[in-house]
Amino acid sequence: MNKLSSKRKLKSLMYITVAGYGAFTAIGFYKGNEKFYKNYFMPVIHLLDAEKAHNLAVLACKYRLFPKSHYKDPEILKVKVFGKEFPNPIGIAAGFDKDGKAVLGLRDIGFGFVEIGSVTPEPQPGNQQPRVFRLMQDFAVINRYGFNSEGHDRVLERIKDIKGSADSNIIGVNLGKNKTSSDPIKDYVNGIKKFGLTADYLVINISSPNTPGLRDMQSKENLRKLLAALVETRNSLPVKKKPPLLLKLAPDLSHQERKDIADILKKKDCKIDGLIICNTTVDRPKSLKCAEVKNETGGLSGAPLKSMSTRMIKEMSELTGGMPIIGVGGISSGKDAYEKIKAGATLVQLYTAMVYNGPPIVSKVKKELVELLHKDGFNNISEAVGKGIH
Ligand SMILES: Cc1cc2nc3c(=O)[nH]c(=O)nc-3n(C[C@H](O)[C@H](O)[C@H](O)COP(=O)(O)O)c2cc1C
């Protein structure tokens, strides 16, 4: 009898523990609690291989499983640029939602805009797996996805549906080229024709390190030819409001190459609307701790890219005489975002910080940013753009 009752007690205790843990998880998940995600939820997700975890996160956004952020964007964070009003300056960088499946879920967690892609004209599988690696101690990622994409047609269908609904948000489309394309310029021209009537802005991505030869298009002669063709295509789109064209650059360009690009951007036939700085780096800073992963081929993102990117924003802002810039690379706090804004970025984006902190990172960055703006006496975030970094 006694043995039976202690067995029952043990069973009840087990149920209570499991139920308690379940309730703790559910409350933490739905409250969007920062510490819960960072210390409990994300470590469990990190037991999965990096690409599986990425796909799961996209699915969760697609089915809008993440709770809506409780943070209401204040007026101070509103940004007017590229002929649009952004509810806040924090966007999700390209590469998370490659095929435009997660747009509304990403808006739910607080992003002010979503950049989808890179999208290639024809569907292509990208490189062989494994092709994404976490550098846990460095808060970094190395990826060599190689533009896995469902292709223009499928992605356009999806974003047309969203843009046609009342629930729409700001969507940028990042354009890539097919790996085996014999005419890369044509790939980008087709991208502009395809998405130019639907997207809020278009990005020419010639800075991914994972498509052979792509970065060579950043060289002086190639870039001049490319931009002239793209600006002409954009200008002849049959719409009154032409979509802004942005160019995404690699952090691995030399000072001379950056100067050459700035000179080209000043030419009348190459006048685009902005820059995205920057893509991932092929550099491997000595400070990296994850010895077993750091030598994987691919582009490095996250914390080790932060200062490299901020410096490049400042340099390109000066060289172009204040062209609008979307700053990206290693942002995981309001301070990181603020540094990029003060270096010359009008908007910012993040990706890798989501891998380590989960969705609450978006509200955290916004809250901290608002505090910093108030502390420095700014009435709107745009007043802080280019005000110098310490
Ligand atoms: C897994 C992964 C895939 C990416 N894919 C793309 C891509 O397809 N196109 C692109 O322009 N940038 C891509 N990026 C680069 C990001 O958009 C961003 O420029 C870079 O990661 C720096 O930001 P972060 O440090 O906040 O991640 C990718 C980044 C990661 C981590």
Side-chain angles (χ1 to χ4, degrees):
M1 185 73 179
N2 238 351
K3 213 173 173 189
L4 198 69
S5 81
S6 56
K7 231 180 176 180
R8 266 199 202 128
K9 266 188 196 159
L10 201 68
K11 235 178 172 181
S12 312
L13 197 68
M14 222 172 71
Y15 285 140
I16 290 168
T17 311
V18 170
Y21 185 74
F24 171 72
T25 306
I27 291 168
F29 186 85
Y30 278 100
K31 283 217 152 173
N33 182 301
E34 255 168 58
K35 285 203 175 96
F36 167 80
Y37 272 85
K38 192 165 181 202
N39 300 333
Y40 299 97
F41 188 72
M42 297 317 286
V44 174
I45 297 296
H46 292 161
L47 297 175
L48 294 172
D49 139 88
E51 183 160 350
K52 283 207 177 81
H54 176 195
N55 291 337
L56 198 67
V58 171
L59 266 183
C61 287
K62 177 178 171 181
Y63 293 107
R64 302 179 80 170
L65 299 180
F66 291 119
K68 258 193 173 164
S69 162
H70 302 300
Y71 185 78
K72 196 171 170 306
D73 292 337
E75 281 294 312
I76 198 169
L77 288 184
K78 276 197 182 137
V79 181
K80 281 190 187 141
V81 66
F82 306 132
K84 312 264 166 211
E85 187 170 81
F86 292 68
N88 73 68
I90 321 291
I92 177 82
F96 176 81
D97 186 12
K98 286 182 180 275
D99 297 309
K101 294 174 178 167
V103 175
L104 295 177
L106 287 164
R107 202 255 319 264
D108 287 346
I109 62 181
F111 283 110
F113 61 109
V114 174
E115 188 171 312
I116 66 170
S118 297
V119 192
T120 57
E122 300 302 323
Q124 65 174 32
N127 291 326
Q128 259 191 349
Q129 294 185 25
R131 49 192 181 176
V132 204
F133 308 88
R134 296 184 203 98
L135 288 79
M136 299 292 293
Q137 292 154 282
D138 299 297
F139 297 104
V141 164
I142 290 175
N143 92 85
R144 51 168 179 269
Y145 266 113
F147 288 169
N148 48 321
S149 171
E150 291 188 1
H152 283 175
D153 290 342
R154 190 77 193 87
V155 175
L156 178 64
E157 258 174 54
R158 271 194 204 111
I159 66 161
K160 263 187 172 168
D161 280 351
I162 300 166
K163 289 308 276 179
S165 75
D167 212 16
S168 174
N169 50 332
I170 297 183
I171 305 178
V173 177
N174 180 308
L175 302 169
K177 75 162 197 79
N178 278 115
K179 186 176 180 183
T180 54
S181 168
S182 55
D183 187 351
I185 294 187
K186 202 169 152 206
D187 280 16
Y188 291 100
V189 164
N190 287 342
I192 292 175
K193 287 183 182 162
K194 197 68 151 186
F195 291 97
L197 309 182
T198 312
D200 291 298
Y201 69 87
L202 295 169
V203 183
I204 311 306
N205 177 17
I206 47 172
S207 48
S208 163
N210 303 313
T211 295
L214 187 78
R215 284 184 166 197
D216 299 343
M217 294 178 81
Q218 294 175 119
S219 76
K220 220 163 147 181
E221 294 73 28
N222 291 342
L223 187 65
R224 171 99 213 242
K225 236 170 92 186
L226 174 74
L227 289 187
L230 301 186
V231 167
E232 198 192 334
T233 308
R234 189 272 311 268
N235 291 349
S236 41
L237 285 172
V239 270
K240 220 166 128 201
K241 262 192 159 180
K242 316 283 182 200
L245 268 188
L246 282 78
L247 180 69
K248 187 163 178 178
L249 297 175
D252 308 310
L253 295 163
S254 67
H255 180 65
Q256 187 57 49
E257 288 169 321
R258 295 173 189 194
K259 263 179 82 181
D260 291 343
I261 292 175
D263 288 342
I264 292 171
L265 297 179
K266 286 176 190 147
K267 302 213 181 296
K268 205 171 158 232
D269 60 339
C270 295
K271 274 218 175 328
I272 55 164
D273 305 275
L275 294 171
I276 301 194
I277 297 172
C278 58
N279 215 314
T280 54
T281 178
V282 291
D283 192 21
R284 295 292 182 266
K286 283 201 179 69
S287 58
L288 290 180
K289 296 183 187 85
C290 290
E292 71 284 14
V293 191
K294 71 177 183 193
N295 294 325
E296 289 290 348
T297 301
L300 174 75
S301 59
L305 183 62
K306 185 168 73 183
S307 53
M308 218 185 282
S309 149
T310 308
R311 279 198 304 273
M312 184 172 176
I313 292 166
K314 189 167 190 295
E315 189 181 353
M316 289 310 291
S317 177
E318 283 163 5
L319 286 171
T320 59
M323 176 173 249
I325 291 172
I326 300 182
V328 53
I331 293 177
S332 70
S333 68
K335 181 173 169 280
D336 299 340
Y338 197 41
E339 276 172 4
K340 285 192 169 35
I341 290 161
K342 290 208 287 185
T346 304
L347 298 167
V348 293
Q349 294 174 325
L350 59 85
Y351 180 169
T352 303
M354 272 262 287
V355 172
Y356 289 98
N357 302 277
I361 190 72
V362 189
S363 300
K364 174 187 168 284
V365 171
K366 290 194 287 189
K367 276 183 221 161
E368 291 173 352
L369 191 52
V370 168
E371 270 171 32
L372 290 165
L373 288 167
H374 281 146
K375 200 169 133 242
D376 286 350
F378 292 117
N379 294 311
N380 182 269
I381 188 152
S382 306
E383 296 167 8
V385 175
K387 287 286 146 61
I389 38 175
H390 324 291

